[in-house]
Amino acid sequence: IPESFEDYFPDSLVTCAAPVLLPKSSLRGSEYKSSDSAPANQKLLDNLATIKRRALNSALFSEDDVTVTDYMNAQYYGLVSIGNPSKSFKVIFDTGSANLWVPRVGCSHCGIPIIAPKTKYDPDHSSTYEEDGAVFEITYGSGSVSGKFGMETLDVGGMQVTNQRFGMIEDAGGLGLAYLAGKFEGILGLGFSSISIDGATTVFENAISQKSIENPQFAFWLGTKDGEDGELTFGGYDDSKFVGDLHWVNLVSATYWEIALDSISVGTEVFQSDTTGIVDSGTSLITGPTSVIKELAHEVGAKRSLLGQYTVDCTQTDSLPEVVFTIDGTDYNLSSKEYVIESGGMCLFAFMALDIPSGPAWILGDVFMRKYYTVFDVAEQKVAFATAV
């Protein structure tokens, strides 16, 4: 996490949890949403069709929901239980990485006693622990952590997984204050096993192979109001959390959740076209190439502060233009209300410059996912978006 961002959110978060790229029982119902002008009998038919579809889906699939807690619109975390007897850990559910890790007893730079304590995993106190011994080390956009691999049983929202390789962190100093004083204790990666450290199978892919989940999808709703708890659904998606139809988009590759971006624009001005980006729940902001972010900031009237971040005049936010991401022919608009984060009397332009040497140019983080309900399909290698409610 850049030090400048910590100044805006002093107790916060992993801004970029993606590794550095270096050498409830309600699936989607009716696909048709009737307008207010539709005849009353047509609306009734639509409602009956939706109820029928939901009932059928409920019979075919089961989903597991996890509450996702929002801390300052910048850190989203939920609980995973590990071991026997089980112990709960606050983790960031991160689609930009693929490994699970939590701090081990004796971990350095893992919390501040009394002020910001963190739960620690103790392999000696779990009957289901199995030794692995391999070195675990991963570098995120915000720093690195290191330790050893172990194997355990876990439960997340009722989805149970056995024989899960995970990292027992012994030193988290690389994450700095963001982790030391942050609200979360670990990270649960929801990317593909192809990018996992040491080839460890991901939690979700293990859940699929172990038939702990029937439908290989999961979905995020991050809440639409400041401080509102969100929801992560495993095994499907919750059609009460969005309006309209889901728009499915094929992945560029089954590594990160990387998709093609047609363009990024403001009004008639196109700032970049024919590029790619990853949909990343572990990154708080939206990131893009330095040169493009500079131009984009200038277009909306954002100015670079001495700390390196772009800010806007809080009295002018209502008049700022929309930023549009065009994806597979569909426009996804972000208003100033959605791309400006107010904290401590300052208004942060929620776009950050990040030049990735190889790989996707953009990261669509929580700022984007708050506006758009997002479904991730592992088997079909697709993501889907719809406007969140």
Side-chain angles (χ1 to χ4, degrees):
I1 178 170
E3 292 179 359
S4 55
F5 192 60
E6 291 176 12
D7 292 329
Y8 288 103
F9 297 96
D11 293 332
S12 59
L13 52 108
V14 173
T15 298
C16 185
V20 175
L21 305 175
L22 294 174
K24 265 161 193 213
S25 115
S26 170
L27 297 187
R28 181 68 170 122
S30 172
E31 292 302 316
Y32 172 75
K33 294 287 185 179
S34 60
S35 66
D36 292 337
S37 61
N41 60 342
Q42 182 61 57
K43 287 186 177 181
L44 177 60
L45 290 173
D46 291 337
N47 290 336
L48 290 174
T50 298
I51 293 171
K52 181 178 179 181
R53 180 72 62 83
R54 287 178 178 175
L56 177 60
N57 286 332
S58 296
L60 292 174
F61 302 114
S62 61
E63 296 91 54
D64 300 296
D65 292 340
V66 179
T67 297
V68 179
T69 300
D70 172 14
Y71 177 61
M72 296 176 68
N73 286 348
Q75 197 174 80
Y76 293 86
Y77 57 86
L79 297 179
V80 58
S81 297
I82 301 175
N84 183 27
S86 65
K87 181 174 285 190
S88 294
F89 296 85
K90 299 173 185 175
V91 297
I92 290 177
F93 294 98
D94 176 26
T95 58
S97 66
N99 292 87
L100 166 65
W101 63 261
V102 295
R104 181 176 182 164
V105 169
C107 177
S108 299
H109 309 105
C110 292
I112 304 173
I114 301 177
I115 299 174
K118 294 189 185 297
T119 301
K120 311 291 197 310
Y121 173 77
D122 189 344
D124 294 334
H125 289 174
S126 174
S127 63
T128 48
Y129 168 73
E130 293 184 32
E131 187 174 357
D132 182 293
V135 173
F136 181 96
E137 186 170 1
I138 185 169
T139 300
Y140 298 95
S142 48
S144 62
V145 296
S146 61
K148 297 288 180 62
F149 271 102
M151 189 174 291
E152 259 293 8
T153 296
L154 63 86
D155 183 297
V156 53
M159 182 178 72
Q160 299 180 347
V161 176
T162 60
N163 301 318
Q164 178 63 50
R165 293 185 75 202
F166 74 110
M168 301 179 293
I169 299 306
E170 299 167 353
D171 189 350
L175 295 181
L177 183 63
Y179 178 70
L180 190 66
K183 298 294 184 180
F184 70 102
E185 291 155 341
I187 291 179
L188 192 156
L190 290 169
F192 290 88
S193 293
S194 58
I195 61 168
S196 177
I197 301 300
D198 205 44
T201 305
T202 68
V203 170
F204 194 66
E205 289 180 29
N206 267 333
I208 295 170
S209 64
Q210 294 174 20
K211 302 188 184 307
S212 182
I213 206 81
E214 296 180 72
N215 189 15
Q217 296 177 338
F218 60 90
F220 279 91
W221 178 74
L222 295 182
T224 56
K225 301 175 183 178
D226 291 350
E228 181 179 26
D229 285 345
E231 174 186 277
L232 168 58
T233 300
F234 287 110
Y237 52 92
D238 185 347
D239 65 357
S240 71
K241 300 300 185 185
F242 62 90
V243 294
D245 295 332
L246 287 169
H247 174 212
W248 289 95
V249 182
N250 292 322
L251 298 185
V252 173
S253 63
T255 50
Y256 301 92
W257 292 92
E258 183 180 2
I259 58 176
L261 305 179
D262 298 347
S263 64
I264 298 90
S265 61
V266 174
T268 59
E269 183 76 17
V270 175
F271 290 86
Q272 192 170 23
S273 59
D274 298 326
T275 184
T276 65
I278 64 173
V279 187
D280 182 9
S281 61
T283 294
S284 305
L285 307 183
I286 293 174
T287 78
T290 297
S291 60
V292 181
I293 295 297
K294 182 178 180 180
E295 294 176 0
L296 193 60
H298 180 267
E299 183 70 16
V300 302
K303 299 186 182 303
R304 190 175 177 85
S305 71
L306 294 176
L307 299 173
Q309 292 296 328
Y310 288 97
T311 61
V312 298
D313 184 341
C314 293
T315 65
Q316 301 296 316
T317 54
D318 290 342
S319 63
L320 300 182
E322 289 186 334
V323 177
V324 181
F325 287 85
T326 302
I327 303 171
D328 192 34
T330 298
D331 289 344
Y332 294 91
N333 306 320
L334 292 177
S335 69
S336 58
K337 179 182 177 181
E338 292 146 356
Y339 67 69
V340 173
I341 300 175
E342 185 172 358
S343 177
M346 301 187 73
C347 288
L348 174 71
F349 180 52
F351 284 73
M352 185 175 74
L354 181 65
D355 295 311
I356 302 174
S358 60
W362 292 81
I363 297 178
L364 305 183
D366 299 333
V367 169
F368 184 87
M369 292 177 64
R370 273 198 300 273
K371 173 72 178 288
Y372 296 104
Y373 187 85
T374 308
V375 185
F376 300 80
D377 192 314
V378 173
E380 296 296 327
Q381 298 181 13
K382 295 180 178 181
V383 295
F385 306 109
T387 301
V389 294

